[in-house]
Amino acid sequence: MAYDFTAAEKKWQEHWERSGAFRTEDGSARPKFYCLAQFPYPSGAGLHMGHVEIYTYADIIARFKLHQGFEVLHPMGFDAFGLPTENHAIKEGLHPAIITERNCANFRRQLKDMGFSYDWSREVTTSDPAYYRWTQWIWKRLYEKGLAYKAEVPVNWCDTCRIVAANEEVDAEGLHERCGKPTRARRRSQWMFRITAYAEQLLKGLEELDWPESSKKAQRDWIGRSEGATVFFGLAEHEGRIEVYTTRPDTLFGATYMVLAPEHPLVGRITVPGERAAVKAYVERAAGRSEFERGELNKEKTGVATGAYAINPVNGERIPVWVADYVLMSYGTGAIMAVPAHDERDFEFARVHKLPVIEVVRPEGAAPSTLEQAHTGEGVMVNSRHGDLDLDGLRQREAVAKTIAWLEAKGLGQRKVNYRLRDWVFARQRYWGEPFPIYYLENGAAALLDDGDLPLELPEVESYQPTDNGESPLAPLENWIRFKDRQGRTGRRESDTMPNWAGSCWYYLRFMDPHNSREFATLERQRRWGRVDVYVGGTEHLNLHDLYSRFWQRALFDLGLVAEPEPFQKLLHQGMMLGPDGSKMSKSAGNVVNPDQILVDHGTDVLRLNLCFMGPVEANKPWSEEGLFAMRRFIGRVERLYAEHEAWEEGEGELAARIALHRTVKAVTADMERYRFNTAIARLMELLNELQRQVRRGRKALEAFAVMLSPFAPHFAEEMWERLGHGGGITRAPYPGFDESLCAEEEVEIAVQFNGKIRLRAKVPGGLGAAELQARMLELPEVREKLAGKPPLKVIAVPGRLVNIILGGG
């Protein structure tokens, strides 16, 4: 009887739901495994192939762990607050809650049609008042800890969305990641999170995590720890001083001018009368420019002199003080000492404004010369001697240490650790977000809502558009904004709402205890489930959601409210799903693949197998329609093998089959633990070939094959398991073991060619078939580096001898 995927998938999905196959037991004696994929924002478009890829990988891991005897927590929910839903509501004239529920229902249907092994009883939605009650409660605790505060700050304003964007939401070109349009600078009173207070903890915590090194580096670079000194420059004609932070105090003798950010509070005080008009005009122009525009290396270096002078602390020289917009108030102290001989921006500025350039670091062995460009490399100190400070002839490390010690001894500076990370802008001027549980009394004092008054729910509004002056749609609602608190005091509610990141900062905790009305999650449940063992999602969230969640977790840990200091022990990043032409999938490009249609035409198991076989999890992969038909043929071959099961003997079959089986089990188990799904499938294909060649076949081999295939093609595996006479389903059938004595293999050396030329050699176990050999070679770091994320045009694998990888461009 031919395999009918439509009937089988419906049958087994109903069985799983009816039997509670994936319901998680908190009190189980089994060891725990918490598998989580980043939950989706429920857009109107429904699931796209990128979603399906992520959730397929996570589901394979969860099912594999079930077979290994773990109690698996594998939940799903919806990150439902945010701007896209609000914009959709404006367009359709419907309440965002209606659109959210409609979109969530569609996502839920699609996810269930895929047969994912979720415990749906734990579903959460961040826009549900029962959920965001706890988001507000957590915010209150962080506010009480001093981590949430309101301040007048320069922000990234998006005219298109009419909201403030956090620094992490603005890309390298100054564009808002939500709409792709430019942001501009604007000063505004904003709720902030003091994430900088946790900069050092966030850095050190990375060392205990099993994350890709590239992901750790991304967060380290974003946090941007540097060691240097705060240096005090006295003012020549004014009281007070200018403080600068520098990682290169050894170059102080080369400081020939200073620059203040236009927003620096000293600008207005020290500017001489003759320069005030020019400085005022410059400051006003700079106020409308974004930090990205101001920081571009290739832009014209503009600035104006204040007419004031500072005193260089190491030699007593008077140096002019300028104002320039390439210095940012939000980084360091908002002032720099300019060393044009050894900094590219300072050099360009000095050349434009005809300021002196003094060389203080010279390449070893080089002769003195007029600098044509800044020397930013290594060298020895020159022209750096005055009084009792002599740096000449020293290298950087020695010169930095000596300078800092001298500054501290003289009271002219101090050692300092600085961070690139800035405090997190945590407010939006929109409707569809969590209201802040805070209000302002008539005397201006802020007061928190009582915990018993949570959740503070969103009111009904006539318009979801921000006001013309950029206030939230809640601001005009006087009957909601004004209220009396429990003490009878009149107050005004905060009209801004929380950003879409708020609910996702802690959702992994709520999945542990989703129905608790007294706590967001008990410590007992948290100790049971611990950290997320593997978290599947994209690298685009590393310095947004992933970083924010780590900050909340560490702050809550310090408050004794969570059991672990870190949320995600292991990150697994999926590569980008590309169109068949190798370009990014998009509606405008016309290369979007509809998952729903693939389920109708091929079934979910074929889709899952194709996704996994296209390449390593983390690689970018062009969609392959041909792969679907290849996977259908593979399932067809397996089905024909099982159709003959009644003629199979008890046991594992003849020796060759036993050896092939045990070697495959060992190798596939290792692949599954390393999330190398493409090579695991390749090994199953090779085992299938071997089993088909055998005359005397063993039923145990069929059983083991079904269990190994089950994580990839669960509906089909269930059907084959049932054909073998097993009742109750395959989902918790023990994963097969292996006999090490049957797994010993001699290694062979394989030549790896690119376009016919041998570039490296690699040793692999003997006996690998073409498919498995190809998959293994494409996994080699040297090969992946050469491919740089692009698929080869063709791969020719000759078992036992060579693999020839054909690249584009000859």
Side-chain angles (χ1 to χ4, degrees):
M1 177 180 171
Y3 176 66
D4 180 348
F5 67 81
T6 303
E9 290 176 5
K10 182 175 186 295
K11 166 187 168 181
W12 290 108
Q13 287 169 17
E14 289 177 352
H15 168 77
W16 294 333
E17 186 164 354
R18 187 172 59 251
S19 65
F22 306 119
R23 185 176 289 271
T24 305
E25 299 297 333
D26 294 293
S28 166
R30 300 184 184 98
K32 74 94 180 180
F33 191 88
Y34 190 173
C35 178
L36 186 63
Q38 291 174 352
F39 66 168
Y41 183 89
S43 69
L47 284 176
H48 56 66
M49 198 54 72
H51 289 124
V52 176
E53 182 188 15
I54 294 171
Y55 302 141
T56 296
Y57 294 151
D59 192 64
I60 288 167
I61 296 167
R63 288 176 179 272
F64 173 62
K65 290 299 177 181
L66 283 172
H67 285 304
Q68 287 191 314
F70 286 85
E71 189 65 34
V72 176
L73 175 55
H74 184 212
M76 178 49 67
F78 301 101
D79 190 12
F81 270 137
L83 192 58
T85 296
E86 190 166 314
N87 288 340
H88 201 167
I90 293 169
K91 183 178 179 181
E92 291 200 29
L94 294 173
H95 195 285
I98 295 173
I99 289 174
T100 294
E101 181 46 46
R102 183 179 70 192
N103 293 351
C104 286
N106 185 45
F107 266 70
R108 198 179 296 112
R109 173 194 64 79
Q110 290 182 295
L111 291 166
K112 287 189 174 184
D113 285 348
M114 290 291 301
F116 293 132
S117 59
Y118 300 131
D119 180 352
W120 282 104
S121 70
R122 294 176 183 254
E123 178 186 335
V124 300
T125 303
T126 58
S127 60
D128 180 352
Y131 180 90
Y132 72 71
R133 165 196 178 186
W134 294 109
T135 306
Q136 293 170 335
W137 187 92
I138 292 170
W139 185 88
K140 283 186 60 182
R141 305 291 84 83
L142 300 180
Y143 175 86
E144 291 166 346
K145 185 175 169 60
L147 293 173
Y149 66 98
K150 203 167 192 181
E152 182 85 17
V153 293
V155 296
N156 308 295
W157 179 260
C158 177
D159 286 308
T160 302
C161 299
R162 293 160 79 177
I163 60 169
V164 170
N167 293 318
E168 294 84 354
E169 295 174 304
V170 177
D171 68 15
E173 297 179 354
L175 305 179
H176 187 194
E177 58 98 17
R178 280 290 180 190
C179 64
K181 296 298 193 303
T183 58
R184 63 182 176 88
R186 178 174 175 178
R187 291 192 70 82
R188 197 179 189 284
S189 179
Q190 284 288 119
W191 279 106
M192 310 286 291
F193 263 132
R194 212 179 304 276
I195 192 172
T196 50
Y198 278 79
E200 193 64 26
Q201 281 197 44
L202 290 169
L203 272 177
K204 289 181 177 178
L206 288 170
E207 301 309 313
E208 64 186 78
L209 302 179
D210 183 12
W211 289 18
E213 189 52 42
S214 59
S215 302
K216 291 184 179 182
K217 183 178 185 301
Q219 284 206 356
R220 287 190 194 106
D221 290 348
W222 186 257
I223 296 168
R225 186 183 194 276
S226 62
E227 297 183 7
T230 299
V231 184
F232 310 141
F233 287 75
L235 293 167
E237 289 90 17
H238 298 82
E239 292 293 323
R241 66 191 186 192
I242 300 174
E243 295 186 9
V244 305
Y245 171 77
T246 177
T247 60
R248 294 297 305 272
D250 55 311
T251 62
L252 267 164
F253 285 98
T256 59
Y257 63 99
M258 299 194 73
V259 184
L260 302 180
E263 304 87 358
H264 199 289
L266 281 177
V267 170
R269 185 161 73 84
I270 68 173
T271 301
V272 301
E275 303 292 347
R276 281 180 186 162
V279 169
K280 183 174 182 292
Y282 185 86
V283 169
E284 289 174 352
R285 285 197 302 275
R289 309 187 74 188
S290 70
E291 289 194 356
F292 169 78
E293 293 175 300
R294 290 169 56 175
E296 282 186 289
L297 287 173
N298 59 356
K299 81 175 187 70
E300 181 187 358
K301 300 302 183 288
T302 63
V304 289
T306 64
Y309 286 82
I311 305 299
N312 188 324
V314 296
N315 57 17
E317 295 286 335
R318 286 164 53 95
I319 56 176
V321 181
W322 286 67
V323 176
D325 64 1
Y326 75 88
V327 177
L328 306 174
M329 193 66 210
S330 56
Y331 182 73
T333 64
I336 67 163
M337 62 178 215
V339 184
H342 306 293
D343 181 275
E344 292 176 5
R345 289 186 304 180
D346 295 348
F347 184 86
E348 292 298 321
F349 191 92
R351 188 168 63 177
V352 170
H353 298 288
K354 298 181 172 54
L355 295 164
V357 177
I358 300 175
E359 180 188 34
V360 292
V361 180
R362 183 178 299 157
E364 194 164 6
S369 63
T370 302
L371 292 175
E372 297 298 324
Q373 61 183 23
H375 169 63
T376 59
E378 295 290 321
V380 294
M381 305 303 300
V382 296
N383 302 320
S384 299
R385 179 191 301 171
H386 181 83
D388 58 351
L389 180 60
D390 182 1
L391 306 178
D392 284 352
L394 299 180
R395 294 188 174 277
Q396 178 183 337
R397 182 184 294 272
E398 300 169 288
V400 167
K402 188 171 183 178
T403 305
I404 293 175
W406 186 89
L407 290 168
E408 289 185 324
K410 301 289 185 181
L412 296 171
Q414 58 191 27
R415 190 178 306 276
K416 170 82 171 175
V417 173
N418 204 33
Y419 301 92
R420 177 179 177 269
L421 182 69
R422 303 168 202 173
D423 280 348
W424 173 15
V425 178
F426 192 79
R428 299 294 181 268
Q429 295 68 50
R430 299 302 295 240
Y431 172 78
W432 195 234
E434 299 91 341
F436 283 94
I438 198 166
Y439 57 100
Y440 308 98
L441 300 173
E442 291 182 330
N443 63 3
L448 292 170
L449 284 179
D450 189 88
D451 286 350
D453 292 331
L454 301 181
L456 172 60
E457 296 191 37
L458 285 165
E460 297 290 330
V461 295
E462 292 183 5
S463 171
Y464 305 114
Q465 293 278 16
T467 65
D468 290 340
N469 65 350
E471 295 295 322
S472 157
L474 299 176
L477 301 181
E478 280 294 312
N479 60 342
W480 184 80
I481 290 289
R482 293 182 62 83
F483 82 111
K484 288 189 181 294
D485 65 14
R486 291 190 175 209
Q487 288 77 41
R489 299 173 299 181
T490 299
R492 294 185 64 84
R493 301 188 195 276
E494 173 61 66
S495 61
D496 282 358
T497 53
M498 298 185 198
N500 59 297
W501 308 108
S504 65
C505 276
W506 69 281
Y507 78 110
Y508 53 90
L509 293 167
R510 189 59 174 170
F511 280 139
M512 300 178 188
D513 201 1
H515 307 298
N516 192 334
S517 61
R518 297 180 303 279
E519 298 178 68
F520 65 83
T522 66
L523 285 173
E524 181 184 4
R525 287 283 183 91
Q526 292 184 53
R527 292 187 188 102
R528 164 58 171 153
W529 294 110
R531 302 179 186 187
V532 175
D533 291 285
V534 62
Y535 194 38
V536 186
T539 57
E540 68 273 15
H541 296 301
L542 272 170
N543 293 329
L544 291 160
H545 160 69
D546 295 343
L547 183 64
Y548 296 160
S549 294
R550 293 187 62 223
F551 163 57
W552 276 42
Q553 183 81 9
R554 286 196 164 268
L556 292 173
F557 183 75
D558 286 349
L559 288 167
L561 297 172
V562 295
E564 291 279 347
E566 288 285 344
F568 315 123
Q569 183 58 31
K570 182 176 183 64
L571 285 188
L572 180 62
H573 298 308
Q574 84 287 355
M576 186 180 296
M577 186 58 61
L578 306 174
D581 57 354
S583 64
K584 184 177 180 180
M585 280 191 183
S586 67
K587 289 182 180 179
S588 59
N591 62 358
V592 173
V593 177
N594 182 354
D596 283 350
Q597 191 59 49
I598 293 174
L599 297 194
V600 171
D601 295 341
H602 300 280
T604 183
D605 287 347
V606 164
L607 174 55
R608 290 164 67 105
L609 285 164
N610 190 41
L611 283 170
C612 292
F613 197 61
M614 286 193 295
V617 169
E618 66 277 9
N620 295 335
K621 296 173 279 290
W623 175 253
S624 168
E625 190 77 18
E626 293 79 10
L628 293 169
F629 293 98
M631 291 304 115
R632 287 191 72 166
R633 290 192 294 271
F634 170 61
I635 279 185
R637 290 177 59 209
V638 176
E639 196 273 337
R640 287 191 293 276
L641 191 70
Y642 280 77
E644 305 164 0
H645 71 90
E646 291 181 355
W648 287 47
E649 302 175 359
E650 291 301 320
E652 296 177 347
E654 55 194 78
L655 181 60
R658 291 178 62 209
I659 290 173
L661 174 62
H662 283 258
R663 288 178 177 178
T664 301
V665 171
K666 178 181 179 180
V668 169
T669 303
D671 284 339
M672 296 297 282
E673 296 287 6
R674 297 182 300 125
Y675 313 125
R676 295 297 181 237
F677 304 139
N678 58 324
T679 57
I681 294 171
R683 296 181 203 280
L684 291 176
M685 291 176 172
E686 297 295 335
L687 178 59
L688 175 62
N689 292 339
E690 182 61 38
L691 293 176
Q692 287 179 321
R693 283 194 290 266
Q694 300 303 311
V695 176
R696 294 176 53 232
R697 299 167 175 173
R699 286 173 57 86
K700 283 188 178 293
L702 282 183
E703 292 174 342
F705 191 99
V707 174
M708 288 190 286
L709 184 61
S710 172
F712 301 105
H715 308 83
F716 177 73
E718 287 275 21
E719 199 74 6
M720 298 305 103
W721 190 251
E722 188 178 61
R723 285 192 190 182
L724 294 175
H726 296 290
I730 199 174
T731 56
R732 287 195 182 270
Y735 208 76
F738 56 89
D739 183 340
E740 192 66 61
S741 67
L742 295 174
C743 297
E745 297 179 278
E746 291 186 6
E747 287 190 325
V748 296
E749 188 173 76
I750 300 295
V752 181
Q753 300 177 338
F754 287 97
N755 295 340
K757 296 181 179 179
I758 296 176
R759 296 302 184 193
L760 66 141
R761 296 180 185 274
K763 288 191 174 182
V764 300
L768 295 184
E772 187 176 348
L773 178 61
Q774 172 180 324
R776 283 210 177 197
M777 293 303 99
L778 292 177
E779 282 284 287
L780 292 175
E782 300 92 335
V783 173
R784 289 166 58 188
E785 182 179 353
K786 183 78 172 175
L787 291 174
K790 297 178 181 178
L793 292 181
K794 186 178 182 182
V795 180
I796 302 166
V798 181
R801 291 183 55 201
L802 62 85
V803 170
N804 186 13
I805 301 168
I806 310 301
L807 305 177

